[in-house]
Amino acid sequence: MKLTTLKHALVAGLAIAALAGAGAAAAQTAVTATLRADQPGPVIQPEVYGQFAEHLGHGIYEGVWVGEDSKIPNTRGYRNDVVAALKAIKVPLIRWPGGCFADDYHWREGIGPRDKRPVKVNVSWGGVEEPNSFGTNEFMEFAELVGAKTYVAGNVGTGSPQEMAEWVEYMVSPTNSTIANMRRANGRDKPWKLDYFGVGNENWGCGGQMTAAHYTDLYRNFAEFVRVPPGTKTEKIAGGANGPDYNWTETMMASAAKNMDQISVHYYTIPSGRWSIKGSATQFDEQIWADTMFQALRMDELITKHTAIMDKYDPTKRVGLAVDEWGIWHDVEPGTNPGFLYQQNTMRDAVAAGATLNVFHKHADRVRLTAIAQMVNVLQAMILTDKDKMVLTPTYWVYDLYKPFQGATSLPLEVNSPAYTVGKSSVPAVNASAGRDTAGVVHVALVNLDPTKSATVTIKLSGVTGKTAKGRVLTASTMSAHNTFEAPNAVKPAAFTAASIKGDTLTATLPSKSVVVLDLN
């Protein structure tokens, strides 16, 4: 081939490639929806945005607690940067001390002078030493610093009703009992507010390998001794099902519904669908992206089916469904302790989080509390730390975008979206939710699950007085974009201007792989 011919061929090839790229960029999904702001639903409880902090890896030690003598800036041992970041997203609730750790935890070992507390082995996570430096007083003070409600998980697996009863007394009793005075001797005069108490954790697994019937009997026994002073309220949360174990919920509701305020369910998104090889947090293709979205949105089916069972025994919906462990579980980062569950957090995690939060909004009549796993340095974390450095993850920024939904009244939003399909995994390309805050402003959350196509969403509005649509968007150039200590702002919200209201119609053009929250003013 002559040089000039080769040159022309290369130019033609580049032109074709450019056209193909432009076509891909121009490819767009058309979505229609109807928002009925004149038909308000239940309130989206702030606790739906709760967090989980377990004694696991660097979730507590180094992530939250560094001690008063640390060179890392701290307030009475708590990292200033982490506390400030959590306050900024208005974390409404923190669940502690586990997880699997809870049913090996004996509260008396975590009180009193820290240099006299027994050192144990964390048999659940990594077999490392547990110094018990962060105990009941430290957790309760941490929650107060953040401004969060408290959710303490009790020990059913290796504990007793007496131990549980005395722990509750230590936290909440205003009397001069010996145990209440023990709290005073440890530096806390006033009782704490114990908002939620979980009677065990995953008692079908690491919490005791129990049958549903056995745990139900134990739950009724233990829960009876979770006693708080007259005029105060601590909600009792029963240890619930492992994902689609509907028999567990049926058994519990049939025999113990009157003894509980909420029942939990745990569900983790495993991108591969296999616990043995979950897949890398940062190295994946579009098929794995689609598989992840499919697995994440199974949450809707799980909540729907557990709710149907609960409705049989509790038609007034008095009992809440607490999704107090959820999130994406990847393989740990190479070179890290397998027992510490440390993983990176990409745009994929953010999109899945936004889509799942929309599911929770849809089920606000039952889902009144959730706790993403976990808060710092573990699984789908809000925050990653490395010594004195801190980075906020894409999932953190989703929680920042969704702050207006805390305490908002849910509004029906019916979405008609084409499917996003890759291989055997198929989900709606766009999912959404809406709510009206206490100031009367309507907020709309839109998530484009398609990583390759933008989406134009046209929403028919009813009962909305706002004339403008402004908000923020979280997106990135690649599916695996993430923040690092060297580049902490690679994925961060930006102003969103591709939305407008004309008459009774809202139109928004969403970038591919994006999370958008709009305020209709």
Side-chain angles (χ1 to χ4, degrees):
M1 182 181 289
K2 293 182 179 179
L3 184 60
T4 53
T5 306
L6 177 60
K7 179 179 178 182
H8 290 153
L10 287 171
V11 170
L14 289 171
I16 292 171
L19 286 171
Q28 199 170 85
T29 302
V31 179
T32 60
T34 303
L35 171 60
R36 297 302 306 267
D38 53 353
Q39 297 181 0
V43 170
I44 300 165
Q45 297 298 328
E47 292 78 19
V48 165
Y49 288 85
Q51 309 281 318
F52 180 29
E54 182 170 5
H55 286 243
L56 197 172
H58 295 302
I60 297 291
Y61 302 110
E62 296 183 34
V64 168
W65 177 260
V66 291
E68 298 97 323
D69 298 330
S70 174
K71 293 181 180 178
I72 296 172
N74 68 86
T75 298
R76 297 187 300 279
Y78 307 97
R79 292 184 66 124
N80 290 343
D81 52 0
V82 169
V83 170
L86 296 173
K87 290 175 71 174
I89 56 171
K90 299 182 179 178
V91 170
L93 168 142
I94 303 172
R95 180 176 181 247
W96 170 87
C100 292
F101 184 80
D103 283 285
D104 273 304
Y105 185 67
H106 299 281
W107 68 273
R108 289 176 185 268
E109 297 173 348
I111 61 172
R114 294 191 194 99
D115 60 354
K116 295 191 179 342
R117 297 181 190 179
V119 175
K120 302 289 287 290
V121 174
N122 188 334
V123 296
S124 297
W125 304 114
V128 295
E129 292 179 353
E130 163 59 56
N132 279 306
S133 303
F134 191 96
T136 303
N137 290 58
E138 288 77 18
F139 168 67
M140 289 296 198
E141 184 174 340
F142 173 56
E144 287 183 339
L145 274 175
V146 173
K149 289 187 176 180
T150 54
Y151 176 3
V152 173
N155 181 348
V156 170
T158 63
S160 68
Q162 179 180 347
E163 181 182 16
M164 190 173 285
E166 291 177 347
W167 193 11
V168 172
E169 181 182 356
Y170 179 86
M171 290 184 278
V172 305
S173 176
T175 71
N176 285 310
S177 72
T178 298
I179 289 177
N181 283 333
M182 188 186 303
R183 180 192 69 237
R184 293 186 180 94
N186 290 330
R188 175 73 179 199
D189 180 27
K190 224 171 81 173
W192 288 291
K193 179 70 172 73
L194 177 61
D195 298 288
Y196 301 90
F197 193 87
V199 182
N201 167 79
E202 293 191 358
N203 298 94
W204 38 262
C206 62
Q209 297 291 329
M210 302 176 192
T211 64
H214 180 58
Y215 172 71
T216 299
D217 287 341
L218 280 180
Y219 171 79
R220 291 173 58 174
N221 177 206
F222 275 68
E224 179 65 22
F225 299 100
V226 179
R227 294 168 174 162
V228 298
T232 67
K233 173 69 173 176
T234 295
E235 289 201 21
K236 300 175 187 179
I237 300 181
N242 178 15
D245 185 353
Y246 303 113
N247 175 67
W248 188 280
T249 300
E250 183 91 39
T251 303
M252 289 290 302
M253 291 299 295
S255 299
K258 68 179 182 180
N259 306 94
M260 66 179 74
D261 296 293
Q262 301 204 42
I263 184 171
S264 74
V265 63
H266 290 180
Y267 175 67
Y268 286 97
T269 295
I270 310 299
S272 68
R274 295 179 295 160
W275 281 94
S276 57
I277 305 176
K278 304 174 186 68
S280 167
T282 56
Q283 305 297 315
F284 56 89
D285 58 19
E286 190 182 353
Q287 182 64 64
I288 297 299
W289 169 287
D291 294 344
T292 303
M293 299 306 149
F294 175 78
Q295 296 290 349
L297 286 182
R298 288 188 62 206
M299 183 69 80
D300 191 17
E301 175 189 344
L302 292 170
I303 293 174
T304 299
K305 290 184 175 180
H306 282 293
T307 293
I309 294 167
M310 295 173 72
D311 285 348
K312 288 197 299 182
Y313 303 98
D314 176 37
T316 63
K317 298 184 183 292
R318 181 189 65 82
V319 179
L321 181 62
V323 189
D324 56 14
E325 284 190 34
W326 70 276
I328 301 182
W329 196 321
H330 303 295
D331 289 336
V332 302
E333 288 301 299
T336 65
N337 187 323
F340 284 8
L341 306 187
Y342 178 86
Q343 60 188 43
Q344 250 298 350
N345 192 296
T346 70
M347 197 63 222
R348 173 175 57 151
D349 299 273
V351 168
T356 303
L357 290 170
N358 288 340
V359 171
F360 295 153
H361 294 175
K362 173 184 173 182
H363 294 281
D365 59 339
R366 279 286 184 194
V367 178
R368 300 165 202 162
L369 180 157
T370 85
I372 191 170
Q374 293 186 11
M375 196 162 66
V376 187
N377 289 332
V378 178
L379 297 175
Q380 192 174 350
M382 302 288 113
I383 297 168
L384 302 177
T385 66
D386 179 15
K387 300 181 179 61
D388 63 339
K389 293 181 286 187
M390 182 192 79
V391 67
L392 306 176
T393 69
T395 297
Y396 175 94
W397 289 117
V398 171
Y399 272 65
D400 188 59
L401 290 176
Y402 275 66
K403 283 186 298 186
F405 289 100
Q406 292 192 29
T409 299
S410 61
L411 301 174
L413 180 56
E414 182 181 334
V415 179
N416 298 305
S417 172
Y420 163 61
T421 303
V422 181
K424 295 181 179 180
S425 291
S426 184
V427 295
V430 171
N431 91 337
S433 65
R436 178 183 277 117
D437 66 23
T438 54
V441 178
V442 172
H443 306 277
V444 178
L446 301 164
V447 179
N448 185 358
L449 287 79
D450 191 324
T452 62
K453 294 181 182 178
S454 62
T456 295
V457 184
T458 305
I459 304 176
K460 187 78 170 177
L461 303 174
S462 179
V464 176
T465 58
K467 301 301 181 186
T468 62
K470 295 181 180 179
R472 292 185 296 160
V473 58
L474 186 73
T475 189
S477 59
T478 65
M479 295 184 293
S480 61
H482 57 280
N483 296 329
T484 65
F485 298 109
E486 295 72 32
N489 296 311
V491 182
K492 193 171 182 178
F496 184 72
T497 57
S500 63
I501 297 176
K502 292 184 179 179
D504 62 353
T505 302
L506 165 66
T507 303
T509 300
L510 314 178
S512 62
K513 55 188 175 304
S514 65
V515 181
V516 172
V517 173
L518 296 173
D519 311 325
L520 310 187
N521 290 300

